[in-house]
Amino acid sequence: MNLYELTVNDIEKIALSDLLFSEENKAALTQTIKEHQYLEELKKYNLKVDNKILLHGHSGCGKTTTAKAIATALNKNIVIINLSTLINARIGETSKNVKAIFDKAIREKSVLFLDEFDQIGKSRDSDDKDVGEMRRLVNTIIQLIDYFPTDSLLICATNHYHTIDTALLRRFQLRLQFEMPNEKELDLYYDKLLTAFPDHLQNIPRKYTISYAEAKDYVNTTMKKQIIAELEVQKLL
C-alpha cells in the first residue's frame, strides 16, 4: 500500500482564537503550544514538553479543526490520517503501515493527527474477531508512542474513548473532552457564520442540540436555497 494514499498534508491555516470550545481546553492547549515554542529553553532544565494529546467526544465538535489550529500555531506541517481507511486495508500489514506513518511524521518534525484512533487502539481485552492481531497492533502503537520525539506532536481523536486500551490512554499527557455545544455557544457560532451573508438573509430559524459541524452544514444549505431563490426571481424580472 502506498503510504501517501493514506496521508493528507494539510495546508489550511486555522487560528486557535477561531476555535469554539471550553476555556479549560483552550488553556491546556495554549500551555502545550507555549511549551513547544520554548522547547530548547525547557530542555536546558531537563523539562519534557507534552507532545501526546487525545481529543475525545462527540463527532463534529472541533477535534480535527483543533489539530489544524495547533499545527498553525507551531508553524508545522500536519499529517492527517483517517485510521478507518488504514485498518480496512489488509490487516496483516496494519502495524507496518502505522510505523511508516510515524516515521514520516518524525522525519518531518510535523504534527501527526490520527483520526478515529479507536480503530487501532482497541482494548486488548475486547471481543474483536482477531484478538491476536489486535494485541500485536496495540503493542506496536505503545512502542511507537513511547519513542515519539518531543520535536514532533501526536494528536489522536476518537468518538469512542472507553473502547481504547488503558495502557494506551496512559501515554497521553493531555486528554481533552469535546462536549456538544449549548444554545449560547451555538448562537455565537451562528452569528459568526451568518456575517458572511447579506443582512436580509441572516434571519433564519436556528437549530439547537446539534454539533458545530451540523450547524455549519445547516447554514450552508439554507443560504444556498435562499440565494438561488433570489437569483431565480431576478431572472423573471
Side-chain angles (χ1 to χ4, degrees):
M1 175 172 290
N2 186 344
L3 172 63
Y4 294 92
E5 293 175 356
L6 297 172
T7 63
V8 178
N9 289 291
D10 200 282
I11 59 173
E12 183 182 5
K13 303 297 183 183
I14 298 173
L16 197 65
S17 58
D18 292 335
L19 301 179
L20 296 172
F21 53 18
S22 72
E23 290 301 317
E24 182 181 358
N25 283 357
K26 186 172 291 187
L29 292 174
T30 299
Q31 172 64 23
T32 299
I33 289 168
K34 287 181 178 179
E35 289 180 12
H36 282 265
Q37 290 171 337
Y38 295 98
L39 177 65
E40 294 304 319
E41 289 82 354
L42 293 173
K43 278 184 179 179
K44 295 175 184 177
Y45 297 94
N46 199 29
L47 293 170
K48 295 182 178 180
V49 301
D50 292 345
N51 70 328
K52 295 145 193 163
I53 304 172
L54 180 66
L55 311 178
H56 62 97
H58 291 279
S59 177
C61 291
K63 295 187 290 293
T64 302
T65 307
T66 297
K68 293 178 181 178
I70 293 170
T72 299
L74 295 175
N75 197 28
K76 286 180 176 288
N77 187 38
I78 181 168
V79 179
I80 299 177
I81 308 292
N82 187 317
L83 290 175
S84 64
T85 303
L86 184 65
I87 201 70
N88 287 336
R90 288 162 54 187
I91 194 163
E93 297 182 357
T94 302
S95 293
K96 178 182 175 182
N97 289 334
V98 171
K99 186 178 185 305
I101 290 164
F102 272 76
D103 289 344
K104 171 181 170 63
I106 292 168
R107 282 195 310 271
E108 299 176 359
K109 297 182 179 180
S110 63
V111 173
L112 174 58
F113 178 62
L114 303 181
D115 199 9
E116 299 193 34
F117 186 62
D118 49 280
Q119 291 290 325
I120 63 171
K122 291 178 182 176
S123 170
R124 286 167 288 186
D125 296 326
S126 69
D127 295 326
D128 193 273
K129 62 182 179 182
D130 193 345
V131 175
E133 172 64 23
M134 188 56 64
R135 284 176 178 167
R136 287 190 293 274
L137 179 56
V138 171
N139 288 335
T140 296
I141 298 166
I142 287 173
Q143 292 175 4
L144 290 169
I145 292 176
D146 283 346
Y147 290 101
F148 198 69
T150 54
D151 55 5
S152 299
L153 201 149
L154 174 65
I155 305 175
C156 299
T158 179
N159 302 336
H160 305 287
Y161 179 86
H162 296 292
T163 68
I164 297 175
D165 193 274
T166 54
L168 269 175
L169 290 177
R170 289 197 298 269
R171 263 65 188 181
F172 293 95
Q173 298 110 334
L174 287 181
R175 297 192 289 261
L176 306 181
Q177 185 170 4
F178 284 64
E179 303 280 2
M180 288 284 282
N182 57 36
E183 288 194 14
K184 181 180 178 181
E185 290 166 337
L186 276 173
D187 275 332
L188 290 172
Y189 190 56
Y190 278 124
D191 291 342
K192 181 178 178 181
L193 293 175
L194 292 169
T195 55
F197 302 98
D199 291 344
H200 69 282
L201 297 180
Q202 293 183 19
N203 189 24
I204 64 172
R206 297 186 175 192
K207 292 184 176 181
Y208 298 100
T209 64
I210 59 176
S211 69
Y212 289 121
E214 290 170 319
K216 184 176 183 179
D217 288 342
Y218 167 66
V219 168
N220 288 345
T221 299
T222 303
M223 287 300 159
K224 285 186 286 186
K225 288 179 180 178
Q226 292 190 143
I227 291 168
I228 291 171
E230 281 196 347
L231 291 172
E232 289 184 337
V233 169
Q234 290 173 12
K235 288 171 64 176
L236 297 174
L237 297 178

